[in-house]
């Protein structure tokens, strides 16, 4: 009898090795080490990080060499100040890379006013959208998703600490004011840090969840603390991989995989000099496999 493992794909995020928001974390870790250890850990895919080749064909070659599929690309939108056409122009270099890697999935989070990359700004000072702004934002995201769908891509919105879509209420408002062409990336770690159970949006918006990040909060550190910056939380070790905390991932994954057929991405924003990426990648993968078996 087939297990849930046969219905999903297991991938990993390169931020275990090199952090995209705080590049000095893992600055000395090579892309070669990242890809080699990701494959040795048994993952079949990996998300794109800032050290990946910019040239589309070079990207394709390096992934093929390491026998890894590209699970998704990332883009920081600025739809609160740019038009959809302007964002499509900004996206074009990424689209060419994704086409070369045969990866149809793009994750986005709105970067206008975002504070998650500034260590001097606590996350409670993040930008907040008022009701009319949410409506306009949701409509713009839908138009962008439709434009990308016409190009053969699927757009997934990633709720993110320090941005306009952080809380459960933010996520509810975005879904209410956007069309079904806009998918969701459900990130367990960002949900827990923002103070809500990721099981709730999963059950409410199951048909919109197209990508999943599996990340944990380390017990006793920073939980729900909105008076520090996101990057200080990262440096202090707030985040870790599934299996290194208290969240009931077994129950979450049972609920998810009753219908979900996409990527499960093991992820943790950590300092690789303090948390060995290869050790944690294996820990996360082994726990996920055990829960799904």
């Amino acid at each position: 009898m087939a297990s849930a493992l046969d219905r999903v794909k297991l991938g990993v995020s390169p931020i275990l090795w090199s952090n995209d928001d705080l590049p000095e974390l893992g600055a000395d870790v090579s892309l070669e080490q990242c890809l080699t250890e990701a494959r040795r850990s048994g993952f079949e895919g990996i998300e794109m990080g800032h050290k990946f080749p910019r040239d589309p064909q070079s990207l394709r070659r390096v992934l093929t060499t390491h026998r890894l599929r590209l699970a998704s690309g990332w883009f920081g939108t600025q739809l609160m100040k740019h038009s959809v056409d302007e964002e499509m122009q900004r996206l074009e270099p990424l689209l060419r890379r994704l086409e070369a890697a045969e990866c149809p999935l793009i994750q986005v989070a709105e970067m206008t006013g975002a504070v998650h990359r500034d260590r001097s700004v606590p996350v409670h000072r993040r930008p907040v959208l008022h009701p009319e702004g949410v409506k306009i934002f949701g409509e713009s995201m839908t138009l962008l998703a439709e434009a990308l769908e016409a190009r053969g891509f699927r757009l997934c919105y990633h709720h993110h600490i320090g941005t306009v879509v952080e809380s459960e209420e933010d996520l509810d408002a975005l879904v209410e004011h956007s069309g079904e062409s806009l998918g969701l990336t459900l990130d367990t770690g960002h949900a827990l840090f923002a103070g809500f159970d990721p099981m709730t949006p999963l059950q409410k918006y199951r048909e919109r969840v197209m990508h999943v990040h599996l990340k944990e909060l380390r017990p006793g550190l920073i939980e729900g603390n909105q008076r520090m910056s996101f990057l200080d939380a990262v440096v202090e070790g707030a985040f870790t991989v599934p299996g290194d905390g208290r969240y009931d991932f077994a129950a979450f994954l049972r609920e998810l995989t009753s219908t979900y057929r996409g990527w499960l991405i093991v992820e943790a924003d950590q300092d690789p000099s303090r948390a060995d990426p290869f050790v944690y990648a294996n820990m996360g993968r082994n726990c996920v496999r055990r829960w799904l078996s």
Side-chain angles (χ1 to χ4, degrees), residues 50-78:
H50 70 281
K51 292 184 178 180
F52 282 50
R54 298 293 174 182
D55 173 67
Q57 296 311 314
S58 297
L59 174 63
R60 184 185 182 102
R61 281 194 297 272
V62 76
L63 291 167
T64 300
T65 297
H66 290 277
R67 295 179 294 121
L68 288 166
R69 296 168 59 189
L70 190 63
S72 76
W74 171 269
F75 184 76
T77 55
Q78 296 184 38

Side-chain angles (χ1 to χ4, degrees), residues 168-189:
E168 184 177 353
E169 292 75 19
D170 296 334
L171 194 54
D172 288 341
L174 177 63
V175 173
E176 179 183 355
H177 294 292
S178 62
E180 293 183 0
S181 57
L182 180 65
L184 298 176
T185 292
L186 183 54
D187 187 303
T188 59

Side-chain angles (χ1 to χ4, degrees), residues 7-34:
R7 301 194 293 270
V8 294
K9 298 165 286 189
L10 296 186
V12 67
S13 170
I15 65 171
L16 270 76
W17 289 267
S18 302
N19 194 280
D20 287 343
D21 294 322
L22 193 61
E24 53 262 46
L25 295 185
D28 59 339
V29 179
S30 68
L31 178 63
E32 175 70 21
Q33 177 185 336
C34 169

Side-chain angles (χ1 to χ4, degrees), residues 55 69 73 78 103 151 160 163-164 175 186 193 205-206 230 259:
D55 173 67
R69 296 168 59 189
Q78 296 184 38
C103 173
R151 288 280 301 272
H160 200 291
T163 72
V164 294
V175 173
L186 183 54
F193 192 95
Y205 310 124
R206 182 184 302 277
F230 173 71
T259 55

Side-chain angles (χ1 to χ4, degrees), residues 95-110:
L95 300 185
R96 290 196 293 268
R97 295 165 79 195
L98 295 178
E99 286 172 339
E102 299 180 353
C103 173
L105 194 142
I106 304 172
Q107 299 185 78
V108 299
E110 179 64 22

Side-chain angles (χ1 to χ4, degrees), residues 1-291:
M1 182 177 178
S3 72
L5 273 171
D6 301 313
R7 301 194 293 270
V8 294
K9 298 165 286 189
L10 296 186
V12 67
S13 170
I15 65 171
L16 270 76
W17 289 267
S18 302
N19 194 280
D20 287 343
D21 294 322
L22 193 61
E24 53 262 46
L25 295 185
D28 59 339
V29 179
S30 68
L31 178 63
E32 175 70 21
Q33 177 185 336
C34 169
L35 298 179
T36 298
E37 292 184 349
R39 186 61 195 173
R40 283 179 58 204
S41 299
F43 291 102
E44 58 182 295
I46 191 166
E47 293 188 325
M48 194 183 296
H50 70 281
K51 292 184 178 180
F52 282 50
R54 298 293 174 182
D55 173 67
Q57 296 311 314
S58 297
L59 174 63
R60 184 185 182 102
R61 281 194 297 272
V62 76
L63 291 167
T64 300
T65 297
H66 290 277
R67 295 179 294 121
L68 288 166
R69 296 168 59 189
L70 190 63
S72 76
W74 171 269
F75 184 76
T77 55
Q78 296 184 38
L79 273 174
M80 290 170 62
K81 61 181 182 181
H82 292 164
S83 69
V84 171
D85 286 343
E86 287 171 325
E87 289 297 89
M88 284 296 292
Q89 291 175 15
R90 293 180 61 232
L91 271 160
E92 191 58 42
L94 175 61
L95 300 185
R96 290 196 293 268
R97 295 165 79 195
L98 295 178
E99 286 172 339
E102 299 180 353
C103 173
L105 194 142
I106 304 172
Q107 299 185 78
V108 299
E110 179 64 22
M111 294 293 103
T112 305
V115 302
H116 67 289
R117 290 179 173 169
D118 190 338
R119 292 190 69 177
S120 69
V121 181
V123 295
H124 77 274
R125 289 170 53 188
R126 71 183 180 92
V128 177
L129 279 174
H130 297 293
E132 184 58 31
V134 172
K135 183 176 184 296
I136 295 170
F137 179 64
E139 291 170 350
S140 296
M141 270 292 165
T142 302
L143 290 173
L144 183 62
E146 290 171 351
L148 287 166
E149 191 172 47
R151 288 280 301 272
F153 295 97
R154 182 66 194 243
L155 187 65
C156 291
Y157 195 92
H158 184 309
H159 57 103
H160 200 291
I161 297 298
T163 72
V164 294
V165 182
E166 174 186 286
S167 69
E168 184 177 353
E169 292 75 19
D170 296 334
L171 194 54
D172 288 341
L174 177 63
V175 173
E176 179 183 355
H177 294 292
S178 62
E180 293 183 0
S181 57
L182 180 65
L184 298 176
T185 292
L186 183 54
D187 187 303
T188 59
H190 282 266
L192 294 169
F193 192 95
F196 65 95
D197 187 340
M199 183 76 84
T200 304
L202 169 62
Q203 292 173 334
K204 286 195 291 187
Y205 310 124
R206 182 184 302 277
E207 72 285 353
R208 299 282 288 269
V209 174
M210 297 295 161
H211 199 62
V212 176
H213 284 177
L214 301 177
K215 179 162 55 184
E216 174 71 289
L217 284 188
R218 189 168 273 114
L221 284 174
I222 333 302
E223 294 176 64
N225 187 347
Q226 298 287 302
R227 296 288 169 177
M228 71 186 311
S229 72
F230 173 71
L231 291 180
D232 277 347
V234 169
V235 171
E236 289 297 320
F239 297 105
T240 186
V241 297
D244 194 30
R246 293 192 295 248
Y247 186 65
D248 189 355
F249 275 97
F252 175 82
L253 288 170
R254 281 195 302 272
E255 182 74 18
L256 175 70
T257 57
S258 64
T259 55
Y260 182 74
R261 299 296 181 266
W263 285 99
L264 299 178
I265 304 296
V266 171
E267 181 185 47
D269 309 68
Q270 298 195 101
D271 182 347
S273 69
R274 297 171 59 185
D276 186 302
F278 185 58
V279 170
Y280 279 85
N282 276 282
M283 181 192 303
R285 179 182 178 274
N286 291 340
C287 286
V288 172
R289 286 185 60 85
R290 184 176 71 249
W291 292 320

